[in-house]
Amino acid sequence: MQNTNFETYLFPNGTIDACYLNVTLNVPCKQESVPPIGVDIRKPEDAQAAINFARRKNLRLVVKNTGHDYLGRSAGRGGFLLWTHHLKDKAYNATFVPQGAPSTQTYEAVTFGAGVQWQEAYDYVDEQGRFIIGGLAQGGSVGAAGGWVMGGGHSAFSPSLGLGVDNVLEFTVVLANGKLVTTNAYQHPDLFWALRGGGGGTYGIVLSATYQTHPNFALTTPTIQVNFTSPEIAQSVVTELFRLHPDLSDAGWGAYTWVFPEAMMAIFVAPNVTVDEANKRFEPLVSHAMNATGGAVIYTAPAFSNFTAWWKESFQGGPPQVGGNVEISSRLLPREMAKERPEEVARIALSLGVATNSVAGGAVSRVDPESTGLNPSWRKAIAQVYIAEIWEEGANSTTILASRERLKQGTDLLDKLTKDSGSYLNEGSLYERDFKKSYFGSHYPKLKKIKDKYDPSSLFVVASGVGSDEWDAELRCRK
Ligand SMILES: Cc1cc2nc3c(=O)[nH]c(=O)nc-3n(C[C@H](O)[C@H](O)[C@H](O)COP(=O)(O)OP(=O)(O)OC[C@H]3O[C@@H](n4cnc5c(N)ncnc54)[C@H](O)[C@@H]3O)c2cc1C
C-alpha cells in the first residue's frame, strides 16, 4: 500500500495488528488487513475465473491496483485479492472509434491495461507526440486506468482539458457474473456513466481504459511564495488568492497551493501560455502580496517547451511518496463561495493549514453534470481543499485515534466552505457524516440502481462506496 496505515488493523480494544516497514520497532509481522490469498491477473480469463470463484464461495473480494487509496479500499482483512498491477498493455490508435459509434467518430486515443501507472502512461503518450490528462504525483505511481479515473481523476490541467472522467472513451470490464464487456457511450451506457465517478471496486474489474489524447503544448508555471509576519498580512494575501481564483480557473489555470499561517506557496500551470502572458495574469496577486508583506515574496515563471519537460523536472526525479501513515479529508470549494466570500475561505484555510488542488472550474465546469456519474458538486467547484493527519509508524492506538478526531474536527470546519459537503471520493476520509451526499451527491440513487443491475449480489463492496451501507463495518456480512 502507498499509505501503510490502511494495512494496519486496529482492534476495538486498541490492539494493533501490523507489519511495520521499520523492523527496528521489533514488532512481530502480522497479516493485518492485507488479504492472505489472491490472484495476480495477467489476462481476462484470470479475472473471470477469480470472480466466478469468489462469487460461488461468497468471498470478501478486494480489488487492488497500486494500493494508493486514501480510504483503504484496496485492502481488506481476510479478503480474496484480485491484483491488476501486471496488466501493462499500452496501445495508440490515431483513428480510434468507440465500439458501436459511427465510423466517423474518431479520436487520437490510447488504451491502457488496468495496471499501467501514470509515469509509464506519460512516457508512452509522449512517444506519440501527444498529451493526456492524468494524475500528477511524485514518481508517477498512481494507476492510470484504475481507481483514479473511476473516482474522477483530476490534474492541474483539468481546468483546461477536463477530468479523467471527461476524457475516458471506453472501458473493458469483467462483471460480477464473469462476463467480459466493452462499455462506452454506445454499449452499456448506464455502466459507462456509473464507472465515471461511481468509484473503483464497485461495478466490476476494469481491465483497460481508453482515453482521448490532446496535442502537446508549451507551458509556463508561475510560482509564488509568500512569507507572512502577521495574521493580518496572511489574511490579506490569502483572501486575494481566493478572490482571483474563479477567474484564473475560467482562464484554464490549474494550481497546487499550500496555505499556512506563516507562509503560502502556489504553483500554477496552464497550457499554451507565454511568460509575458503569465506575468501579466499574475501581476495583481504578486503586487498585492508585495504591498502587504513589504516585499517578502518570491515569484518566478519558468517556461517549458512541452509537458514532458515540466513533468521530468517537477515529478520524475524524486522518490515515490510511499510508506506513510496518512489520512486526509477534503471539500470541493464552490465557485460562488470563493467569488462572494473570499475572506471567509481565507480565514478557514489559514486556521486549518490546507493544501488546495485547483483542478476544477474552467473546462470541468463546462461539462454537463449529468453526463457522468461523478458527484455534480465537481461541476460547480473550482478546487479541492484538503487537510491531512500524519503519524509515525508504530504509533499506539491513542495517538491514531487522536489524529482521527482532529481530522473529524477539521472536516467540520472545512464544511463551512460548502453548502453540500461535496468531497472528492479518491481524496477523502472514512469519517463523513453522510458519505452518499459527500462523495456522490444527487447521483447516488442512480448509481445504486446501476450497481444493483450489474452486481445484484454485491460482490464488489468498498468502504464509503455505493451500496456499502448495506454491509457491516468490515464489509463481510450484510446488515
Ligand atoms: C501520492 C498520491 C498522489 C495522488 N495524486 C492524484 C492526482 O494527481 N489526481 C487524482 O485525481 N488523484 C490523486 N491521488 C488519489 C488517487 O486518485 C487515489 O488514490 C486512487 O484511488 C488511486 O487509484 P489506484 O487504482 O492507483 O489505487 P488502488 O488503491 O489500487 O485502487 C483504488 C480503488 O480503485 C479500485 N480499483 C483499482 N483498480 C481497479 C480496477 N482495475 N477495476 C476495478 N476497481 C479497481 C480499488 O478496489 C480501490 O477501491 C493520489 C494519491 C496518492 C497516494
Side-chain angles (χ1 to χ4, degrees):
M1 295 292 283
Q2 172 85 13
N3 296 310
T4 48
N5 48 298
F6 292 110
E7 291 178 339
T8 303
Y9 186 80
L10 189 58
F11 288 92
N13 69 0
T15 313
I16 292 175
D17 221 11
C19 186
Y20 295 127
L21 294 172
N22 180 358
V23 288
T24 64
L25 291 169
N26 283 325
V27 177
C29 185
K30 298 276 182 61
Q31 187 65 36
E32 36 173 22
S33 293
V34 177
I37 187 164
V39 175
D40 176 0
I41 299 171
R42 303 284 174 135
K43 53 187 188 306
E45 293 77 14
D46 296 343
Q48 291 175 298
I51 284 179
N52 288 335
F53 178 74
R55 195 185 58 250
R56 279 201 302 272
K57 302 287 178 188
N58 199 20
L59 301 179
R60 153 101 162 84
L61 203 63
V62 175
V63 185
K64 177 174 173 177
N65 179 21
T66 66
H68 275 54
D69 197 54
Y70 281 115
L71 296 171
R73 292 174 296 174
S74 39
R77 191 170 172 80
F80 177 59
L81 182 76
L82 271 68
W83 194 34
T84 59
H85 174 72
H86 286 111
L87 295 169
K88 294 283 190 188
D89 284 351
K90 301 179 233 24
Y92 174 70
N93 184 345
T95 54
F96 176 81
V97 180
Q99 273 189 27
S103 58
T104 48
Q105 193 180 321
T106 60
Y107 299 88
E108 290 194 45
V110 277
T111 299
F112 296 133
V116 172
Q117 292 164 274
W118 278 115
Q119 175 63 68
E120 298 157 332
Y122 288 140
D123 285 348
Y124 183 74
V125 173
D126 184 57
E127 283 166 23
Q128 321 305 324
R130 304 284 293 173
F131 170 78
I132 185 169
I133 281 288
L136 294 171
Q138 205 64 42
S141 52
V142 172
W148 178 83
V149 61
M150 285 181 261
H154 67 63
S155 152
F157 296 99
S158 292
S160 303
L161 295 165
L163 295 164
V165 291
D166 305 326
N167 281 269
V168 68
L169 301 169
E170 189 166 282
F171 291 107
T172 56
V173 194
V174 179
L175 300 173
N177 62 9
K179 282 203 179 119
L180 174 64
V181 299
T182 298
T183 176
N184 56 36
Y186 301 88
Q187 296 185 175
H188 307 288
D190 52 353
L191 179 63
F192 187 53
W193 185 87
L195 284 171
R196 289 175 296 155
T202 305
Y203 291 93
I205 302 231
V206 164
L207 295 185
S208 70
T210 302
Y211 294 95
Q212 61 177 322
T213 63
H214 303 274
N216 218 326
F217 46 76
L219 67 158
T220 302
T221 62
T223 302
I224 179 164
Q225 292 177 56
V226 189
N227 287 329
F228 306 134
T229 48
S230 76
E232 293 73 27
I233 291 173
Q235 175 69 33
S236 165
V237 176
V238 177
T239 298
E240 185 66 2
L241 173 75
F242 283 111
R243 196 184 67 74
L244 293 170
H245 197 314
D247 288 344
L248 289 170
S249 306
D250 287 344
W253 285 95
Y256 299 113
T257 306
W258 296 266
V259 167
F260 293 96
E262 312 77 35
M264 62 152 274
M265 178 172 159
I267 303 166
F268 296 89
V269 292
N272 297 316
V273 177
T274 64
V275 173
D276 283 352
E277 287 164 343
N279 288 344
K280 209 166 151 204
R281 169 69 69 174
F282 287 91
E283 197 278 328
L285 179 61
V286 175
S287 294
H288 185 98
M290 283 284 190
N291 291 337
T293 61
V297 178
I298 301 172
Y299 172 78
T300 55
F304 296 87
S305 57
N306 56 40
F307 166 76
T308 306
W310 177 65
W311 165 260
K312 282 190 173 151
E313 183 165 315
S314 309
F315 295 95
Q316 204 176 37
Q321 301 152 269
V322 291
N325 290 274
V326 186
E327 290 193 14
I328 62 178
S329 183
S330 73
R331 284 292 178 265
L332 299 171
L333 175 65
R335 159 188 306 275
E336 63 175 26
M337 182 75 185
K339 193 122 197 141
E340 290 162 17
R341 287 188 279 161
E343 301 83 5
E344 197 175 340
V345 178
R347 192 179 51 72
I348 294 167
L350 283 163
S351 67
L352 283 167
V354 300
T356 301
N357 292 330
S358 299
V359 291
V364 176
S365 301
R366 290 192 286 273
V367 173
D368 174 5
E370 300 312 314
S371 64
T372 70
L374 185 72
N375 185 346
S377 298
W378 267 102
R379 306 301 177 184
K380 291 187 191 146
I382 51 170
Q384 176 220 3
V385 181
Y386 69 94
I387 51 175
E389 280 290 329
I390 296 169
W391 58 88
E392 290 293 318
E393 196 171 50
N396 62 25
S397 60
T398 311
T399 304
I400 296 171
L401 293 175
S403 284
R404 289 182 180 161
E405 197 46 47
R406 278 195 299 277
L407 202 63
K408 288 179 203 171
Q409 286 167 9
T411 307
D412 285 344
L413 203 50
L414 273 185
D415 237 351
K416 296 191 192 317
L417 293 174
T418 68
K419 284 199 188 103
D420 62 4
S421 303
S423 181
Y424 180 29
L425 176 62
N426 281 351
E427 292 177 330
S429 95
L430 288 165
Y431 320 111
E432 287 294 334
R433 289 184 206 287
D434 183 349
F435 79 89
K436 297 179 187 176
K437 186 175 159 204
S438 299
Y439 293 135
F440 307 101
S442 59
H443 284 167
Y444 188 84
K446 186 171 169 187
L447 288 166
K448 177 69 167 62
K449 210 169 154 201
I450 297 169
K451 170 146 182 76
D452 290 344
K453 175 178 167 186
Y454 287 95
D455 182 18
S457 63
S458 221
L459 187 62
F460 296 98
V461 201
V462 290
S464 300
V466 174
S468 60
D469 56 326
E470 295 175 354
W471 293 75
D472 67 5
E474 298 282 320
L475 304 178
R476 224 174 270 142
C477 300
R478 273 191 190 272
K479 280 181 184 163

